[in-house]
Amino acid sequence: MHDRAAHPAPPREDPPTIELGPPLTEDGLPYSTPYPAPDPSEPPGPLYVVGDVHGYLDELVAELRHQGLIDADGHWSAGRSRIWFLGDFTDRGPDGIGVIDLVMQLAAEAAAAGGYCRALMGNHELLFLGAHRYGDEPVQSTAGTASFLAAWRLNGGQQHDLDRLESHHISWLSRLPAMALEDDHLLLHSDTTAYLEYGESIAEVNDAVHDLLADEGADEWWDAFRRFTKRFAFRGNAGPTAVHELLDAYGGRRVVHGHSPIPYLTGAAHADDGVPPHIPGPYVYADDLAIAMDGGVTMEGRLLIARLPVN
């Protein structure tokens, strides 16, 4: 495990700079798929979700092994199981590219075994890709002139991740969906209703984000990053209503999201006793309509993996 003392916890506020897919096959990738073809008559396997990883590769590997999803050599061992990562692979932790490489590897191995390993695009994917593509190019921010590179560094960007970013990483990240529906669970990265601004169906939202990444300029990218950095829409008295807005538009009976660390949602992040937050598991809230999966690994919490449904 990495020494947490070498990676201090972020400030109390998860610092925004502004107001608060399918597996990709690439020739030459360094992994194989040593599994027999699955029997199509078999039922789908169990469904798992993984919260924000933020570069903590060792913690991810340990939790995947604990859940029986990978073997001792780091290869898929979950058969027809289905896994969705909820986004935010990089920034703040020590090995974001290593996390992306592992998820890409597991995507190929899972597909060969009759399961799948898929991922959503988080706001940090937008930020990371923007830092690579636009660098210090000025963008119009509500806080004045800014740039993706400056915002990425402020939000925990690690230069060694940017230095190791390759074309197959960019291609894979750029094709990640923004949202998905699995077993009546609406999977999102961010606890915001901003998705409603991009389409009236899941397909429309995902197409809109992909089109933006393919064709639009720095200001449009920045606006998407700003919208998907918003948080806490499902907290408080109005939270259930906000969840219902999304469920009514896109389907499902529950929202499952990352993005906002559970210690912030519960208020545990503001304790003054210096004790790391206690994260027993996913946080179910908003009249049982929302499940938060960011266990706060960057602030000495936990990297969460859960099998759905969560009671």
Side-chain angles (χ1 to χ4, degrees), residues 127-135 148-149 152 162 165-166 170:
L127 187 57
F128 189 37
L129 291 170
H132 167 77
R133 179 164 177 171
Y134 295 110
F148 269 102
L149 190 60
W152 174 72
L162 196 58
L165 183 66
E166 298 182 26
I170 296 168

Side-chain angles (χ1 to χ4, degrees), residues 160-209:
H160 55 262
D161 283 338
L162 196 58
D163 292 342
R164 293 161 59 204
L165 183 66
E166 298 182 26
S167 59
H168 65 274
H169 299 131
I170 296 168
S171 178
W172 186 79
L173 290 169
S174 299
R175 291 176 55 182
L176 295 178
M179 60 196 318
L181 183 64
E182 292 284 353
D183 295 357
D184 266 345
H185 293 89
L186 183 62
L187 308 181
L188 314 167
H189 172 69
S190 304
D191 46 327
T192 177
T193 58
Y195 297 89
L196 295 166
E197 301 169 38
Y198 287 87
E200 297 180 355
S201 69
I202 291 174
E204 284 186 9
V205 173
N206 291 335
D207 286 347
V209 173

